[in-house]
Amino acid sequence: MTKIDDETGLRLAFAVAAKARSHGNHPFGCVLVDAQGHVLLEAENGYMPDRDMTGHAERLLATAASKQYRPAQRLECTMYTSAEPCAMCAGAVYWAGIGRVVYGLSEARLKTITGSHEENPTLDLPCRTVFSAGQRKVEVVGPLLEDEAAAQHAGVWD
């Protein structure tokens, strides 16, 4: 298998976000891809059914990855995510040791979409800022395909 490009990886994450929405969750999703282009894991938003405010797709995927793969494997992986990891999720990605993140929708733009919605009090703190405070490098690409990513949220936060 050949390595997938960033736009293809993001569109896989967008498909997971659409699945999350169809399951009654917020439209966020992500996939973990290894250096050879294999999709290892996917996670959709896990807010429902328990209204878990920490059930973000990126945090759930980082937790699963840290349990299932060795540190050297995780370091070579890319997390493709429909939206920029929030501060909590960036911390989880950092602690899981995932080496690269590619995201669609920026936190800043997400905040303009969600406004003051009680189910998503967006932290407008770039993941690059969180990662730069750490001792390990996490490569970040994004926002990318931001209009496609934003379209996932149409009618959700009204």
Side-chain angles (χ1 to χ4, degrees), residues 62 89-98 130-138:
C89 291
V93 168
Y94 175 82
W95 284 108
I98 296 169
V130 176
F131 295 140
S132 70
Q135 297 176 318
R136 151 185 333 128
K137 182 182 183 314
V138 179

Side-chain angles (χ1 to χ4, degrees), residues 39-130:
V39 176
L40 302 177
L41 296 169
E42 70 174 48
E44 57 185 71
N45 181 271
Y47 175 69
M48 294 301 285
D50 300 324
R51 298 189 182 279
D52 180 0
M53 294 297 285
T54 66
H56 296 189
E58 301 87 354
R59 203 256 324 143
L60 295 171
L61 187 136
T63 298
S66 69
K67 292 177 179 180
Q68 294 180 42
Y69 298 99
R70 294 184 326 274
Q73 289 175 291
R74 296 189 308 262
L75 190 59
E76 294 183 356
C77 287
T78 298
M79 176 190 283
Y80 290 99
T81 182
S82 61
E84 182 175 3
C86 71
M88 174 186 70
C89 291
V93 168
Y94 175 82
W95 284 108
I98 296 169
R100 185 168 184 262
V101 173
V102 178
Y103 68 87
L105 184 63
S106 69
E107 276 285 284
R109 185 154 173 200
L110 178 63
K111 188 176 181 182
T112 67
I113 293 169
T114 62
S116 60
H117 196 284
E118 67 182 20
E119 292 178 5
N120 196 38
T122 304
L123 284 168
D124 185 5
L125 178 66
C127 67
R128 286 175 175 89
T129 302
V130 176

Side-chain angles (χ1 to χ4, degrees), residues 12-30 42-49 55-58 60 82 152-153 156-157:
L12 292 173
F14 296 165
V16 176
K19 191 169 25 172
R21 185 172 180 175
S22 76
H23 293 149
N25 274 302
H26 302 140
F28 299 99
C30 57
E42 70 174 48
E44 57 185 71
N45 181 271
Y47 175 69
M48 294 301 285
H56 296 189
E58 301 87 354
L60 295 171
S82 61
Q152 300 273 335
H153 297 269
V156 174
W157 308 104

